[in-house]
């Protein structure tokens, strides 16, 4: 595999220009070391130096303004935090360390005979900004397989949950309980861990946690919907293949779907509810287990990750009520949803203003592998109908579909019909983004996050209004 530069040349040029000739940035090649921690140790001092230099020169430079509407309006567009792993463009969609989804599909290493990127390779990219070699990806697969076992008390806890505890509640509770294993928490409690060493312990916890998440998720799935027994971990296969095997599936195409799914749901810059929650809780030096569990409680909301469950519930109801659906019937169903004061799940976005590329790549997967599936046809039909209706309604800033409009349809095609489980898969993937960012937040010494809030009276006074 060819070696790639750490930072895209045009970005590097811009940074060099802005920082002048003293910049620490070098136009250099990625390392061939297969140890991710070693690679991080190489990159972190460079980034620290860059930020020091940048803040030294531009610490007081204004980057925007804050309006009253932004404060009441969920802080949309307010530039207020740094996330290194990905950036979301409203028109173009997500770029992971500068690479779009199609670029990732092309450049990231795949499983032998596979077409979709391995999530391990995306994690490497998120952590380092470098496209990994196949050997580097294999090393991650091996490490995660090695660390996949769960502590006994967590297995016991999962096995004792009653069936009416939602899979996301079980997932979050299990992650919280695994903090008994936190190396960061132990290091902090010892009183001997230096601030400069925080990131190493966060790295170790993150690797452990990511490795264990498929085991947690598969245990929940098999307890709720199967006979409670999960498949064994194969030390010589990749993270997604092990996950699919533990879930009890053996269709190689489903494994490929899982690789794509776990890659594209990983990261969506820093301001979304799950990523922001992990960042915020982590800033209190809560360990990665506690920080990520908090993120999962946010992902479980219907306006965020639970939308993938909502979409399938909503579509299934439509099919059950009407069967074969005409365009007119579909329009009526969408309007009824809106008239009942509900949102159309899977449509709209707080940042995106175009069709989500995560929707598009899942659609391409469906066109390739399941073009005649009735549910896929329904989703395609919806794509023709919903944007015009949302535009006519005139409220939603983005009438186009997001990632959640498509994922459930693919899962049900391969036999995973348990809709209330879908957000758990989103959660397993989101760990890659949340935790790579958490490693960097500690490496860069980001402080406790504590924005200023105001009362309405205080704001009125501040802007000099009489009302
Ligand atoms: N259906 C109906 N109304 C919608 C809508 C939709 N899909 N999307 C937005 N609107 C409405 C909002 O509810 C809001 O109405 P009010 O003014 O009455 O409160 C208005 O349009 C303006 O909202 P917006 O600025 O366009 O959107 P927000 O940034 O406030 O919210 C989101 C974004 C995703 C919560 C919203 O589009 C939504 O509820 N979508 C459906 C749920 C969904 O698919 N969520 C998953 C998002 C992706 C993810 O995080 O996983």
């Amino acid at each position: 595999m060819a070696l790639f530069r750490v930072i895209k040349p045009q970005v590097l040029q811009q940074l060099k220009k802005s920082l002048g000739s003293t910049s620490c940035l070098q136009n250099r090649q990625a390392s061939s070391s297969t140890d991710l921690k070693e690679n991080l140790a190489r990159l972190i001092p460079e980034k620290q130096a860059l930020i020091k230099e940048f803040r030294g020169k531009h610490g007081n430079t204004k980057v925007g303004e804050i309006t009253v509407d932004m404060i009441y309006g969920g802080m949309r567009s307010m530039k207020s935090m740094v996330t290194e792993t990905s950036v979301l463009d409203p028109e173009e969609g997500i770029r992971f360390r500068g690479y779009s989804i199609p670029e990732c599909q092309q450049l990231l290493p795949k499983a032998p005979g596979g077409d979709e990127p391995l999530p391990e390779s995306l994690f490497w990219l998120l952590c380092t900004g470098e496209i990994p070699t196949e050997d580097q990806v294999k090393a991650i697969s091996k490490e995660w397989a090695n660390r996949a076992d769960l502590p006994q008390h967590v297995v016991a806890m999962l096995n004792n949950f009653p069936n009416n505890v939602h899979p996301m509640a079980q997932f979050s509770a299990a992650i919280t309980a695994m903090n008994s294993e936190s190396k960061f928490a132990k290091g902090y409690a010892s009183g001997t861990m230096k601030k400069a060493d925080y990131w190493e312990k966060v790295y170790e916890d993150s690797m452990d946690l990511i490795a264990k998440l498929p085991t947690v998720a598969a245990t929940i799935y098999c307890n709720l919907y199967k006979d409670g027994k999960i498949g064994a971990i194969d030390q010589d296969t990749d993270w997604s293949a092990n996950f699919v095997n533990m879930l009890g599936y053996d269709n190689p195409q489903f494994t490929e779907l899982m690789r794509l799914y776990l890659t594209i749901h990983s990261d969506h810059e820093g301001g979304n509810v799950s990523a922001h929650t992990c960042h915020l809780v982590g800033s209190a030096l809560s360990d990665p287990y506690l920080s990520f569990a908090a993120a999962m409680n946010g992902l479980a909301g219907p306006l965020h990750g639970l939308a993938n469950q909502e979409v399938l519930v909503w579509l299934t109801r439509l099919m059950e009520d009407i069967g074969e659906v005409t365009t007119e019937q579909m329009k009526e169903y969408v309007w009824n949803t809106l008239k009942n004061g509900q949102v159309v799940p899977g449509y709209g976005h707080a940042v995106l203003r175009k069709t989500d590329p995560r929707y598009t790549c899942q659609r391409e997967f469906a066109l390739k592998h399941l073009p005649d599936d009735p549910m896929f046809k329904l989703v395609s039909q919806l794509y023709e109908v919903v944007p015009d209706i949302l535009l006519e309604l005139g409220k939603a800033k983005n009438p186009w579909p997001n990632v959640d409009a498509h994922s459930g349809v693919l899962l049900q095609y391969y036999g995973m019909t348990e809709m209330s489980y879908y957000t758990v898969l989103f959660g397993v993937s989101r760990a890659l983004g949340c935790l790579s960012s958490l490693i960097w937040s500690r490496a860069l010494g980001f402080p406790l996050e504590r924005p200023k809030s105001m009362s309405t009276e205080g704001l009125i006074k501040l802007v000099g209004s009489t009302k």
Side-chain angles (χ1 to χ4, degrees):
M1 160 114 2
L3 294 172
F4 292 80
R5 287 188 178 84
V6 177
I7 300 173
K8 287 189 138 187
Q10 58 272 43
V11 179
L12 188 71
Q13 262 340 93
Q14 267 173 7
L15 276 170
K16 277 183 169 173
K17 220 167 138 189
S18 116
L19 293 174
S21 56
T22 56
S23 169
C24 61
L25 288 167
Q26 300 298 319
N27 218 355
R28 52 162 181 64
Q29 304 289 299
S31 148
S32 58
S33 160
T34 57
D35 186 327
L36 179 55
K37 197 170 176 183
E38 225 172 81
N39 277 278
L40 278 163
R42 165 177 62 85
L43 294 166
I44 286 168
E46 239 180 75
K47 193 55 164 263
Q48 287 169 334
L50 169 68
I51 292 173
K52 194 168 174 221
E53 192 175 350
F54 175 55
R55 288 184 68 178
K57 288 197 172 156
H58 293 287
N60 290 321
T61 305
K62 292 204 169 95
V63 291
E65 57 179 22
I66 295 172
T67 64
V68 170
D69 269 349
M70 282 170 155
I71 297 175
Y72 281 103
M75 299 190 275
R76 297 288 184 286
S77 306
M78 216 186 256
K79 295 181 188 72
S80 51
M81 60 193 289
V82 173
T83 302
E84 305 290 355
T85 50
S86 66
V87 174
L88 179 58
D89 180 85
E91 303 295 321
E92 193 202 31
I94 194 67
R95 278 188 178 267
F96 303 116
R97 290 283 189 172
Y99 295 95
S100 67
I101 288 179
E103 285 167 354
C104 285
Q105 284 177 294
Q106 199 197 334
L107 295 170
L108 291 174
K110 299 157 184 64
D115 287 330
E116 302 301 341
L118 287 163
E120 291 90 322
S121 63
L122 198 265
F123 182 68
W124 187 289
L125 175 65
L126 292 176
C127 283
T128 64
E130 298 168 354
I131 301 281
T133 63
E134 280 175 18
D135 283 347
Q136 288 169 332
V137 175
K138 271 191 199 136
I140 298 282
S141 301
K142 194 139 208 83
E143 255 196 275
W144 288 354
N146 271 328
R147 297 175 186 230
D149 281 348
L150 302 186
Q152 205 39 52
H153 70 277
V154 174
V155 178
M157 177 183 170
L158 287 171
N159 290 346
N160 281 293
F161 274 128
N163 283 359
N164 63 352
V165 178
H166 191 278
M168 278 304 279
Q170 296 196 26
F171 192 54
S172 155
I175 295 165
T176 298
M178 283 198 298
N179 105 311
S180 55
E181 312 307 296
S182 173
K183 292 161 184 155
F184 179 84
K186 286 192 184 82
Y188 196 86
S190 75
T192 57
M193 185 169 60
K194 294 195 182 66
K195 194 171 176 187
D197 300 332
Y198 286 177
W199 77 264
E200 290 195 43
K201 300 285 188 206
V202 170
Y203 172 87
E204 290 299 335
D205 279 356
S206 298
M207 293 294 275
D208 283 340
L209 178 51
I210 294 171
K212 291 175 196 317
L213 286 177
T215 321
V216 172
T219 304
I220 294 168
Y221 185 77
C222 295
N223 278 345
L224 282 177
Y225 315 116
K226 306 279 174 199
D227 63 2
K229 296 191 183 78
I230 69 162
I233 288 280
D234 175 352
Q235 298 293 331
D236 294 320
T237 194
D238 61 274
W239 192 56
S240 316
N242 265 323
F243 187 20
V244 167
N245 180 44
M246 284 191 284
L247 288 166
Y249 290 76
D250 60 3
N251 180 343
Q253 223 176 69
F254 185 54
T255 308
E256 273 292 278
L257 171 66
M258 197 59 80
R259 290 177 183 130
L260 176 67
Y261 187 105
L262 296 175
T263 297
I264 62 173
H265 285 77
S266 58
D267 208 26
H268 222 217
E269 74 171 30
N272 66 78
V273 170
S274 49
H276 189 192
T277 304
C278 187
H279 173 76
L280 170 69
V281 176
S283 83
L285 299 186
S286 303
D287 65 61
Y289 296 90
L290 299 180
S291 307
F292 186 64
M296 291 302 94
N297 291 336
L299 192 75
L303 296 188
H304 191 17
L306 201 78
N308 61 7
Q309 164 186 323
E310 301 288 285
V311 169
L312 250 255
V313 170
W314 186 74
L315 284 179
T316 307
R317 201 175 298 141
L318 171 64
M319 277 188 111
E320 276 167 8
D321 286 359
I322 309 178
E324 190 105 334
V325 188
T326 66
T327 304
E328 282 316 305
Q329 285 169 322
M330 185 172 277
K331 283 184 182 169
E332 195 186 331
Y333 187 69
V334 174
W335 274 116
N336 281 341
T337 301
L338 294 170
K339 281 177 193 152
N340 286 339
Q342 293 169 296
V343 294
V344 178
Y347 279 76
H349 199 273
V351 178
L352 279 167
R353 294 297 173 254
K354 284 277 164 65
T355 296
D356 191 336
R358 301 172 299 175
Y359 174 93
T360 309
C361 74
Q362 292 182 92
R363 180 173 163 76
E364 279 161 10
F365 189 96
L367 284 169
K368 192 166 156 195
H369 298 293
L370 46 135
D372 299 323
D373 177 58
M375 199 67 110
F376 170 55
K377 286 187 173 160
L378 198 65
V379 165
S380 304
Q381 215 179 336
L382 269 179
Y383 194 15
E384 303 292 323
V385 164
V386 174
D388 281 345
I389 294 180
L390 286 179
L391 282 173
E392 196 179 326
L393 185 74
K395 279 204 306 183
K397 292 191 189 66
N398 174 34
W400 301 107
N402 60 56
V403 65
D404 299 314
H406 218 303
S407 51
V409 170
L410 298 173
L411 297 170
Q412 62 82 39
Y413 176 77
Y414 292 103
M416 186 176 268
T417 52
E418 301 86 1
M419 302 163 200
S420 50
Y421 185 73
Y422 291 171
T423 314
V424 173
L425 299 179
F426 194 155
V428 172
S429 171
R430 192 39 66 103
L432 305 180
C434 285
L435 295 171
S436 51
S437 275
L438 201 64
I439 296 167
W440 273 101
S441 295
R442 297 291 74 77
L444 299 176
F446 288 165
L448 179 83
E449 196 166 279
R450 208 315 184 175
K452 174 83 186 112
S453 70
M454 299 203 66
S455 65
T456 294
E457 286 68 28
L459 259 183
I460 290 173
K461 210 168 147 198
L462 184 79
V463 302
S465 169
T466 48
K467 301 205 170 76

